[in-house]
Amino acid sequence: DIHTLPSLDTSSNGGKLELVCNTLQNTSNILNNKNKLSHTTGSPRPLKKTKKSNKNSAAKNTDESDSVLSSEYKKQLRGQRFERELSANVSDFSEETEIRDLNTPLVGTNTNLEKHYLRLTSEPKPETVRPLNILKKSFKMLNEKYIKDSANYGYLCDQLRSLRQDLTVQHIRNEFTIRVYEFNCKVSIDFDDMGEFNRCQSQLKFLYRIFDKNNPNMYDFLAYTVLYYILTNNHFEAFQLKLYLIEKDDHSNKSEHSWTGNSLLIFAFQVLENVINGEYYDFFERVKLFRSLQESKPFSKLSPYYTFDKLLCSILVNERIKALCMVCKSFKLLPLSFVIDQLAFKDKIDYSDFLKNNGLEQLDQFTTEDKLDCSKAKFIVEGVRGKKFKKIDIKAVSYTHLTLPTICSV
């Protein structure tokens, strides 16, 4: 029972073998004819599919035609541009064009006291830049307009940015440059522009380290910077600044120009500790102490206390919301006079203005017979606090987003 393949002997199986070969030849001929037919006329497909393929092919043809037209149009534009460049007069680039030495600073020749700020897109020209003597006159003019309230913030900010730009392109870094940045910081704080203040104070810190000649205003502006760090919850930078000042005193053996002799900077670091530790009572007592200085002698616009007061008031609004939230969680019913005294309000009118400016008007509904119903008010206060102090994640780093409060007087 051994199975064997059939023999291919032509004598016995010649007829069968010839029949198989003919069948295979006919099959291959049929397949070849079908392939030729599909290449020339296309293989038949169902009606619906052919419609879709026709639509797709038409869309492809239109896209290809559009791309061909656009490429041809681009080639024409490129050719016209090359013709213009090649036909340009060579004499325009002759010896009359002066090439400025980049190693030497630019010296401006413009004599205008006022100049709009424009972002540089090419190398500055001397005729568009004001020299140092003109910049000093312009700075004096801006000081007078700021003191007299004869100019709005848009004008002052534009002129100061232009002035800083002229100083930068001429590589001017001296005591006058520090004065310009200090004045710009004061103006930006006065008009509640914290972004512009941050740009100026970062440059000021750099200038203070270059010209470490115990500038009389340096510690005042570092105090503003500490309050700005508190306002933006950047406590790490505030402690870094304190560490730098301590190390500086250690190297200089605590000279007479130590930072510990500046009352505003000491006050700013005390406020920093109160805010971080949640010491609301101590914080509001410090605010009352600072307010007593203001009541005895009003601050002028150029006084360092005036600028410090602006930043402290912004922090005060945030801390009042936090403290009010804590009070509403801890008590059920409180006299309104107690709340006004503990949160350092001047009077009931000041308290009402605070509620209106921060979306807490509904708390008036829970005040009866000069008593605040804390159990009902806490939900509204917590909602306002959640909106004002919400955390956002930027590049896997968590930051606390603060809505800057409305400026008020401390």
Side-chain angles (χ1 to χ4, degrees), residues 82-98:
F82 289 156
E83 288 179 1
R84 288 195 302 269
E85 293 178 356
L86 293 175
S87 62
N89 191 0
V90 184
S91 62
D92 294 340
F93 307 96
S94 60
E95 297 178 355
E96 297 178 359
T97 304
E98 296 181 0

Side-chain angles (χ1 to χ4, degrees), residues 312-361:
L312 184 62
C313 184
S314 300
I315 299 173
L316 177 61
V317 173
N318 292 335
E319 295 307 307
R320 277 172 173 169
I321 294 176
K322 293 179 184 178
L324 188 60
C325 186
M326 186 68 66
V327 165
C328 291
K329 287 181 179 179
S330 304
F331 298 92
K332 186 175 182 180
L333 198 66
L334 274 178
L336 190 60
S337 59
F338 176 81
V339 176
I340 291 174
D341 178 67
Q342 291 298 311
L343 301 187
F345 290 107
K346 295 178 181 178
D347 48 29
K348 194 172 182 180
I349 298 176
D350 189 20
Y351 169 76
S352 300
D353 293 338
F354 167 78
L355 298 182
K356 292 179 182 178
N357 294 331
N358 294 278
L360 294 169
E361 301 94 334

Side-chain angles (χ1 to χ4, degrees), residues 18-32:
E18 184 178 0
L19 179 62
V20 171
C21 291
N22 292 333
T23 304
L24 292 174
Q25 184 67 29
N26 293 332
T27 304
S28 62
N29 292 334
I30 292 171
L31 291 175
N32 291 331

Side-chain angles (χ1 to χ4, degrees), residues 116-379:
H116 288 295
Y117 171 78
L118 294 174
R119 188 179 296 275
L120 291 176
T121 57
S122 61
E123 185 180 354
K125 298 178 181 180
E127 57 269 20
T128 61
V129 179
R130 294 168 293 181
L132 182 58
N133 61 333
I134 301 298
L135 292 176
K136 289 182 178 180
K137 294 179 182 179
S138 177
F139 179 68
K140 183 179 179 181
M141 178 194 68
L142 294 176
N143 263 282
E144 293 175 353
K145 289 189 175 183
Y146 171 68
I147 295 173
K148 296 178 181 179
D149 292 328
S150 59
N152 57 18
Y153 178 65
Y155 169 81
L156 292 173
C157 183
D158 179 70
Q159 294 300 314
L160 286 171
R161 293 181 72 180
S162 177
L163 199 153
R164 283 158 37 200
Q165 185 185 66
D166 289 347
L167 289 171
T168 302
V169 298
Q170 296 179 96
H171 300 179
I172 299 176
R173 289 178 181 174
N174 51 25
E175 297 296 329
F176 175 71
T177 308
I178 294 178
R179 287 174 56 200
V180 170
Y181 277 92
E182 288 177 347
F183 178 70
N184 203 340
C185 283
K186 283 179 171 289
V187 174
S188 58
I189 292 174
D190 191 11
F191 289 94
D192 197 24
D193 188 354
M194 294 296 108
E196 191 71 12
F197 168 75
N198 185 35
R199 284 187 286 271
C200 293
Q201 67 88 19
S202 60
Q203 187 66 19
L204 258 182
K205 288 193 298 184
F206 174 72
L207 292 172
Y208 284 148
R209 297 193 182 191
I210 293 178
F211 303 97
D212 190 7
K213 298 178 181 179
N214 297 317
N215 188 290
N217 300 323
M218 180 177 69
Y219 294 130
D220 292 339
F221 281 88
L222 291 181
Y224 308 153
T225 302
V226 173
L227 293 187
Y228 171 76
Y229 288 150
I230 297 173
L231 189 60
T232 55
N233 269 7
N234 196 354
H235 302 150
F236 175 77
E237 289 291 336
F239 282 110
Q240 285 288 101
L241 178 59
K242 187 174 183 179
L243 179 62
Y244 164 75
L245 294 172
I246 293 174
E247 292 177 349
K248 180 184 174 183
D249 276 356
D250 292 340
H251 290 300
S252 60
N253 297 323
K254 287 191 176 182
S255 63
E256 58 181 7
H257 298 287
S258 173
W259 66 276
T260 55
N262 186 275
S263 59
L264 286 180
L265 190 54
I266 294 294
F267 192 93
F269 282 124
Q270 290 173 348
V271 170
L272 174 65
E273 293 179 2
N274 296 150
V275 171
I276 291 178
N277 297 326
E279 299 169 348
Y280 299 114
Y281 178 80
D282 292 340
F283 171 76
F284 291 121
E285 289 298 317
R286 295 190 192 282
V287 171
K288 294 177 183 178
L289 177 63
F290 189 82
R291 180 183 298 161
S292 63
L293 297 176
Q294 184 182 11
E295 292 175 352
S296 61
K297 185 179 179 180
F299 304 143
S300 63
K301 295 188 71 172
L302 295 181
S303 170
Y305 289 90
Y306 177 85
T307 308
F308 192 89
D309 172 50
K310 288 286 185 179
L311 285 170
L312 184 62
C313 184
S314 300
I315 299 173
L316 177 61
V317 173
N318 292 335
E319 295 307 307
R320 277 172 173 169
I321 294 176
K322 293 179 184 178
L324 188 60
C325 186
M326 186 68 66
V327 165
C328 291
K329 287 181 179 179
S330 304
F331 298 92
K332 186 175 182 180
L333 198 66
L334 274 178
L336 190 60
S337 59
F338 176 81
V339 176
I340 291 174
D341 178 67
Q342 291 298 311
L343 301 187
F345 290 107
K346 295 178 181 178
D347 48 29
K348 194 172 182 180
I349 298 176
D350 189 20
Y351 169 76
S352 300
D353 293 338
F354 167 78
L355 298 182
K356 292 179 182 178
N357 294 331
N358 294 278
L360 294 169
E361 301 94 334
Q362 297 183 14
L363 264 64
D364 290 333
Q365 301 176 4
F366 307 124
T367 304
T368 55
E369 297 180 358
D370 290 336
K371 289 186 179 180
L372 178 64
D373 190 347
C374 299
S375 60
K376 295 180 181 179
K378 66 179 180 180
F379 301 105

